[in-house]
Short mmCIF file of all heavy atoms in Angstrom, two decimals:
data_model
loop_
_atom_site.label_atom_id
_atom_site.label_comp_id
_atom_site.label_asym_id
_atom_site.label_seq_id
_atom_site.Cartn_x
_atom_site.Cartn_y
_atom_site.Cartn_z
N VAL A 88 9.67 -8.49 -3.57
CA VAL A 88 9.58 -9.62 -4.51
C VAL A 88 10.95 -10.11 -4.96
O VAL A 88 11.05 -11.03 -5.76
CB VAL A 88 8.72 -9.26 -5.74
CG1 VAL A 88 7.30 -8.91 -5.31
CG2 VAL A 88 9.35 -8.12 -6.54
N ARG A 89 12.01 -9.47 -4.48
CA ARG A 89 13.38 -9.91 -4.76
C ARG A 89 13.66 -10.05 -6.25
O ARG A 89 14.28 -11.02 -6.70
CB ARG A 89 13.70 -11.19 -4.01
CG ARG A 89 13.70 -11.00 -2.50
CD ARG A 89 14.52 -12.03 -1.76
NE ARG A 89 15.06 -11.47 -0.53
CZ ARG A 89 15.77 -12.18 0.36
NH1 ARG A 89 16.00 -13.46 0.15
NH2 ARG A 89 16.25 -11.59 1.44
N GLY A 90 13.20 -9.08 -7.00
CA GLY A 90 13.49 -9.05 -8.43
C GLY A 90 12.67 -9.99 -9.29
O GLY A 90 12.86 -10.05 -10.51
N GLN A 91 11.74 -10.71 -8.68
CA GLN A 91 10.94 -11.66 -9.44
C GLN A 91 9.76 -10.97 -10.12
O GLN A 91 9.33 -9.89 -9.71
CB GLN A 91 10.44 -12.78 -8.53
CG GLN A 91 11.56 -13.63 -7.93
CD GLN A 91 11.04 -14.81 -7.15
OE1 GLN A 91 10.07 -15.48 -7.56
NE2 GLN A 91 11.67 -15.10 -6.01
N VAL A 92 9.25 -11.61 -11.14
CA VAL A 92 8.06 -11.14 -11.85
C VAL A 92 7.04 -12.27 -11.87
O VAL A 92 7.37 -13.42 -11.60
CB VAL A 92 8.41 -10.70 -13.30
CG1 VAL A 92 9.36 -9.51 -13.28
CG2 VAL A 92 9.02 -11.87 -14.09
N GLY A 93 5.80 -11.92 -12.19
CA GLY A 93 4.76 -12.92 -12.24
C GLY A 93 4.99 -13.95 -13.33
O GLY A 93 5.27 -13.59 -14.48
N ARG A 94 4.90 -15.22 -12.98
CA ARG A 94 5.08 -16.32 -13.93
C ARG A 94 4.09 -17.43 -13.60
O ARG A 94 3.59 -17.52 -12.48
CB ARG A 94 6.50 -16.89 -13.84
CG ARG A 94 7.60 -15.97 -14.37
CD ARG A 94 8.96 -16.48 -13.96
NE ARG A 94 9.17 -16.36 -12.52
CZ ARG A 94 10.04 -17.09 -11.83
NH1 ARG A 94 10.76 -18.02 -12.43
NH2 ARG A 94 10.17 -16.91 -10.53
N PRO A 95 3.79 -18.32 -14.54
CA PRO A 95 2.91 -19.45 -14.25
C PRO A 95 3.47 -20.31 -13.12
O PRO A 95 4.69 -20.43 -12.96
CB PRO A 95 2.88 -20.23 -15.58
CG PRO A 95 3.20 -19.21 -16.61
CD PRO A 95 4.19 -18.28 -15.97
N ILE A 96 2.58 -20.91 -12.37
CA ILE A 96 2.98 -21.68 -11.19
C ILE A 96 4.00 -22.76 -11.52
O ILE A 96 4.92 -23.04 -10.73
CB ILE A 96 1.73 -22.28 -10.49
CG1 ILE A 96 2.13 -22.95 -9.17
CG2 ILE A 96 0.97 -23.24 -11.42
CD1 ILE A 96 0.95 -23.40 -8.34
N GLU A 97 3.87 -23.39 -12.69
CA GLU A 97 4.77 -24.49 -13.02
C GLU A 97 6.21 -24.04 -13.29
O GLU A 97 7.13 -24.87 -13.37
CB GLU A 97 4.24 -25.29 -14.21
CG GLU A 97 4.09 -24.50 -15.50
CD GLU A 97 2.70 -23.91 -15.66
OE1 GLU A 97 2.04 -23.66 -14.62
OE2 GLU A 97 2.30 -23.70 -16.82
N GLU A 98 6.42 -22.76 -13.40
CA GLU A 98 7.76 -22.24 -13.66
C GLU A 98 8.50 -21.79 -12.40
O GLU A 98 9.66 -21.38 -12.46
CB GLU A 98 7.68 -21.05 -14.63
CG GLU A 98 7.16 -21.42 -16.01
CD GLU A 98 7.12 -20.22 -16.94
OE1 GLU A 98 7.74 -19.19 -16.62
OE2 GLU A 98 6.45 -20.32 -17.99
N ILE A 99 7.84 -21.88 -11.24
CA ILE A 99 8.43 -21.37 -10.01
C ILE A 99 9.32 -22.42 -9.36
O ILE A 99 8.86 -23.52 -9.05
CB ILE A 99 7.33 -20.93 -9.01
CG1 ILE A 99 6.32 -20.00 -9.70
CG2 ILE A 99 7.96 -20.27 -7.79
CD1 ILE A 99 6.92 -18.75 -10.29
N SER A 100 10.59 -22.08 -9.15
CA SER A 100 11.52 -23.01 -8.51
C SER A 100 11.38 -22.95 -7.00
O SER A 100 10.82 -22.00 -6.43
CB SER A 100 12.96 -22.66 -8.90
OG SER A 100 13.36 -21.45 -8.28
N GLU A 101 11.94 -23.96 -6.34
CA GLU A 101 11.92 -23.97 -4.88
C GLU A 101 12.68 -22.76 -4.33
O GLU A 101 12.25 -22.14 -3.36
CB GLU A 101 12.56 -25.26 -4.36
CG GLU A 101 12.58 -25.35 -2.83
CD GLU A 101 13.21 -26.63 -2.32
OE1 GLU A 101 13.65 -27.44 -3.16
OE2 GLU A 101 13.27 -26.81 -1.09
N GLY A 102 13.80 -22.42 -4.97
CA GLY A 102 14.58 -21.28 -4.53
C GLY A 102 13.82 -19.97 -4.64
O GLY A 102 13.91 -19.11 -3.76
N ASP A 103 13.08 -19.81 -5.75
CA ASP A 103 12.28 -18.60 -5.93
C ASP A 103 11.23 -18.48 -4.83
O ASP A 103 11.01 -17.39 -4.27
CB ASP A 103 11.58 -18.62 -7.29
CG ASP A 103 12.54 -18.47 -8.45
OD1 ASP A 103 13.65 -17.95 -8.24
OD2 ASP A 103 12.17 -18.87 -9.58
N TRP A 104 10.57 -19.57 -4.54
CA TRP A 104 9.52 -19.59 -3.51
C TRP A 104 10.11 -19.26 -2.14
O TRP A 104 9.62 -18.38 -1.44
CB TRP A 104 8.87 -20.98 -3.50
CG TRP A 104 7.83 -21.18 -2.45
CD1 TRP A 104 8.00 -21.74 -1.22
CD2 TRP A 104 6.44 -20.81 -2.53
NE1 TRP A 104 6.81 -21.77 -0.53
CE2 TRP A 104 5.83 -21.21 -1.31
CE3 TRP A 104 5.66 -20.22 -3.51
CZ2 TRP A 104 4.49 -21.01 -1.03
CZ3 TRP A 104 4.30 -20.02 -3.25
CH2 TRP A 104 3.74 -20.42 -2.03
#
Side-chain angles (χ1 to χ4, degrees):
V88 299
R89 295 204 150 176
Q91 296 186 40
V92 296
R94 290 168 292 158
I96 186 172
E97 61 268 26
E98 296 181 15
I99 309 302
S100 70
E101 180 180 1
D103 290 339
W104 177 265

